[in-house]
Amino acid sequence: MDLIEHQGVEGLRVGRFPGRINTTCILYRLGETVIDTGPANQWSTVKRFLRERSAERILVTHHHEDHGGNLARVVRATGGTSYSPRASRRPLAEGFPLHLYRRIVWGRPETVEPTTIPPRIPAGGSSSLTPIAAPGHSADMTCYLEPDRGWLFSGDLYVSSRIRYLRRDEDLPRQLETLRSVLELDFETVFCSHRGVLSEGREALARKLDFLESLVERVQNLRRRGMSPGAITRELLGREDLMSWITAFHYSKRNLVEGCLAVLGEESRPPGEGDPSRVD
């Protein structure tokens, strides 16, 4: 098992393709509270990790299959109570369509009906977690702040300071708003669901915000010169590559440029595409 330990927080990285950051997911354990559950096709490894200690509370940062994929199984195995953001409850309870590449990489989760997260979640000893709405990557994305230790369990808010792709259903304007609001909170260490533990997490999130704001400005300058979104993509990010083709352009560089255009008020995506249960 690929284990992580940081000042009493334990983590487990799981994924069918373990050599890549984006195809793996880290579930964290703080006392008897588990944050995220990993993809469904990694249940055997997750089950061994959970046998080491009881889990009274199981939280998810959002409904995506690499984060909530084992939620139903964890609840059955531990007897703990599952919690999710309010906007996650419907896709977790009713299921949601998955692209072929997502079924292959992470598997299909079972449905489960979690409880809506309360304003404060006990996390063992004197620790507690405060849910922080963080929409953008998905409409239901939520971070968890441990204010006394200055820890932020960030889900998919960070991943990288310099991104080159965007999911078609991500909302870049809301991501920028979220980054700005989260950076007003008092924390230093970030527990990222893909990158791992960032001891200078606040600085890492600030670098991501700076990069995206700079990219928006560069897109705006090229747009003013009359360049098309496709030409802007090739100029700033290069041609689409294997990632885009494998995901049938659900992840693509063009999506990132169109997200920048949306920040500038050029909305080119169909209404409702940010709905967490929608797949195009």
Side-chain angles (χ1 to χ4, degrees), residues 4 14 68-69 72 76 114-115 128 130 136 139 152 160 169 172 199 202-203 210-212 216 224 242 246 266-267:
I4 296 168
V14 287
R76 285 201 302 271
T115 301
S128 64
T130 301
L152 184 73
S160 175
D169 52 358
L172 190 60
S199 58
R202 169 180 290 282
E203 290 78 4
D210 288 344
F211 169 76
L212 289 173
V216 169
R224 284 172 174 169
L242 188 60
I246 287 176
E266 290 192 36
E267 184 59 70

Side-chain angles (χ1 to χ4, degrees), residues 16 65 85 135 161 236-237 244 247:
R16 175 169 284 176
E65 63 279 359
S161 292
L236 297 180
L237 303 172
S244 304
T247 65

Side-chain angles (χ1 to χ4, degrees), residues 1-177:
M1 289 191 292
D2 187 356
L3 298 174
I4 296 168
E5 197 283 328
H6 181 81
Q7 297 182 2
V9 177
E10 301 165 292
L12 172 70
R13 181 186 294 277
V14 287
R16 175 169 284 176
F17 303 101
R20 296 190 61 85
I21 297 282
N22 288 338
T23 59
T24 59
C25 185
I26 302 170
L27 52 147
Y28 291 103
R29 179 168 57 198
L30 175 58
E32 295 179 333
T33 297
V34 174
I35 302 171
D36 283 334
T37 65
N41 60 19
Q42 299 300 301
W43 170 237
S44 61
T45 305
V46 172
K47 181 168 58 175
R48 291 199 303 273
F49 175 71
L50 292 175
R51 282 175 179 164
E52 299 172 1
R53 185 180 302 173
S54 62
E56 292 187 5
R57 294 161 293 274
I58 306 98
L59 318 178
V60 293
T61 56
H62 59 299
H63 75 283
H64 287 165
E65 63 279 359
D66 51 336
H67 295 260
N70 288 307
L71 185 57
R73 287 166 166 166
V74 173
V75 170
R76 285 201 302 271
T78 66
T81 302
S82 61
Y83 296 93
S84 78
R86 183 179 300 278
S88 303
R89 293 186 64 191
R90 180 177 175 182
L92 288 172
E94 299 180 5
F96 50 95
L98 290 173
H99 301 80
L100 177 60
Y101 84 89
R102 295 165 68 183
R103 295 199 298 270
I104 292 172
V105 175
W106 295 297
R108 183 182 293 278
E110 294 181 36
T111 56
V112 61
E113 295 191 16
T115 301
T116 300
I117 48 175
R120 178 180 174 276
I121 307 118
S126 60
S127 292
S128 64
L129 298 172
T130 301
I132 307 295
H137 171 69
S138 65
D140 58 332
M141 247 289 297
T142 298
C143 300
Y144 295 98
L145 176 69
E146 210 296 359
D148 294 333
R149 305 295 297 273
W151 293 343
L152 184 73
F153 295 86
S154 63
D156 283 355
L157 180 62
Y158 175 67
V159 183
S160 175
S161 292
R162 299 174 64 89
I163 62 174
R164 295 178 59 81
Y165 309 88
L166 200 70
R167 282 173 59 125
R168 188 177 300 149
D169 52 358
E170 287 185 87
D171 186 332
L172 190 60
R174 294 188 79 186
Q175 281 196 49
L176 291 173
E177 292 173 4

Side-chain angles (χ1 to χ4, degrees), residues 181-192:
S181 64
V182 165
L183 284 167
E184 294 178 359
L185 301 174
D186 187 12
F187 68 94
E188 186 55 41
T189 303
V190 164
F191 293 82
C192 175

